[in-house]
Structure formats: C-alpha cells, structure tokens
Amino acid sequence: MFGKAELERLRLQKDLLVLQSELNRMVLAAELQRLSSPELWRSEASRAVRNRPLLTAALGIGAGVMAIKALRQPGAVMSWLGRLGGTGSTLVSLWNLFGRK
C-alpha cells in the first residue's frame, strides 16, 4: 500500500502534469493563431526573397510556366507533374545513397 507521503507526491505530480498539458495547449493555440495571420506569411515571403533571390525567381518562373500550361492544356500539366515526381523521387534516393557516408 501507499503511504500518505507517496499519495501526496503522486497527487502533486499529477497536478504538475495537468498544468504542463494546459500550458502546452495554450502554446499550441498561440502558434496556430500566429501561423494563421497573413502578416506572418507576408514577412516570411519577403524574407525568402531577400535571402534567396535566385531561388525565388526560379520558383516564380516555374509557377508561371505551370500556370500557362495548365490554362492551355490541363492534361499535359498532370503528366508533367507525374514525371517530375518520379524524377524527384529518384534524385532523393540517390542523395540519400551517397549522402550516408
């Protein structure tokens, strides 16, 4: 059987775990609210453009080409995306194979 001291210690430990859980819920809610704000996404996008202008330009050009192809031939874009996914998968596999040294 448990003595009074052990039961009190377990009760305090339970209360601490409940408080930690409530704190984690509050932190998660605050992060969700921050992530849903448009200001965050605008600042992140502008920081990405400042830090990596060439990558941002390449992604913009790629998105533009995809949009134009989607408007002209919707079926061709899906075929192209499938090939891109297969190639990307192969490249990731090769990266993992040679990167594990």
Side-chain angles (χ1 to χ4, degrees):
M1 285 285 158
F2 290 110
K4 276 191 168 189
E6 288 90 9
L7 288 176
E8 181 64 18
R9 185 182 58 79
L10 288 173
R11 186 188 66 75
L12 289 174
Q13 191 175 15
K14 176 188 156 199
D15 291 344
L16 179 63
L17 288 172
V18 168
L19 289 173
Q20 285 176 339
S21 177
E22 289 175 9
L23 178 66
N24 286 339
R25 261 190 235 114
M26 292 170 75
V27 167
L28 184 62
E31 288 179 0
L32 181 62
Q33 184 177 9
R34 184 178 68 88
L35 284 175
S36 63
S37 74
E39 292 82 21
L40 173 76
W41 292 104
R42 279 193 291 267
S43 69
E44 288 294 321
S46 65
R47 186 175 347 143
V49 170
R50 281 192 310 271
N51 291 343
R52 294 179 179 84
L54 293 177
L55 177 63
T56 308
L59 290 174
I61 290 170
V65 168
M66 292 272 303
I68 290 170
K69 283 191 176 210
L71 291 174
R72 289 187 178 169
Q73 299 171 347
V77 172
M78 295 307 289
S79 169
W80 186 78
L81 282 176
R83 285 192 307 248
L84 180 66
T87 304
S89 174
T90 303
L91 290 175
V92 167
S93 297
L94 287 173
W95 179 270
N96 288 334
L97 178 68
F98 292 116
R100 291 186 180 180
K101 288 185 178 178

